[in-house]
Amino acid sequence: MTPTRLIERFYHEVWNLADEAVAREILAPDFRFRGSLGPEKRGVDGFIDYTRQIHAALGGYTCTIFEIIEQGERAAVRLRFAGVHRGPFFGVEATGREIAWPGAAFFRFADGRIAELWVLGDVEAVKAQLGAAVGAGL
């Protein structure tokens, strides 16, 4: 499977559809994840736990890919994240508001799987939409 196809499956199936079986299929067992919204996660189970937390806080959570730039075993993605604020997020109780923010993701692949991912999202845009204090965490 090409890196572009892995990325498409990662966002459309793992994130948008919350398909944990696909996560176990396309992520390396020692997968490393570092996102703007929380601490580093290691391993598939740690990452799946993180996805559950995000989906609990943001109903209908979706990731929309705008652009993928692939080079060998690495790729960069420009995307948008969105969801309805239905649970505690950045120290703010559910507001019922739809929030959205832009981001970029940097992937590394190994042995036909996603080995590492670093996501940089516009956290200040999230906080502004929630009315959260600057510096508040997930």
Side-chain angles (χ1 to χ4, degrees):
M1 190 174 313
T2 68
T4 293
R5 183 65 186 128
L6 283 169
I7 291 167
E8 290 169 345
R9 290 194 73 198
F10 177 77
Y11 284 115
H12 297 304
E13 297 175 50
V14 175
W15 271 115
N16 296 354
L17 300 177
D19 191 328
E20 295 177 7
V22 173
R24 294 181 191 291
E25 176 188 337
I26 68 172
L27 300 178
D30 59 347
F31 176 66
R32 291 182 62 193
F33 173 81
R34 177 71 172 101
S36 301
L37 300 178
E40 183 173 324
K41 298 294 181 182
R42 292 182 180 249
V44 178
D45 289 330
F47 178 74
I48 287 172
D49 181 58
Y50 176 76
T51 65
R52 289 174 183 163
Q53 291 175 35
I54 297 301
H55 278 275
L58 299 173
Y61 184 75
T62 58
C63 305
T64 304
I65 298 170
F66 293 124
E67 181 177 20
I68 299 173
I69 300 169
E70 180 186 327
Q71 185 173 10
E73 293 298 309
R74 299 195 180 272
V77 180
R78 187 173 58 87
L79 64 165
R80 176 183 182 263
F81 309 102
V84 176
H85 182 215
R86 68 177 185 192
F89 199 55
F90 282 97
V92 178
E93 292 300 320
T95 63
R97 288 187 216 135
E98 183 170 338
I99 62 170
W101 66 99
F106 302 91
F107 288 83
R108 185 177 63 78
F109 307 92
D111 301 320
R113 291 182 166 192
I114 300 170
E116 191 172 351
L117 173 58
W118 188 306
V119 178
L120 302 172
D122 187 346
V123 173
E124 293 307 314
V126 174
K127 291 177 185 178
Q129 291 172 75
L130 296 176
V134 174
L138 176 62

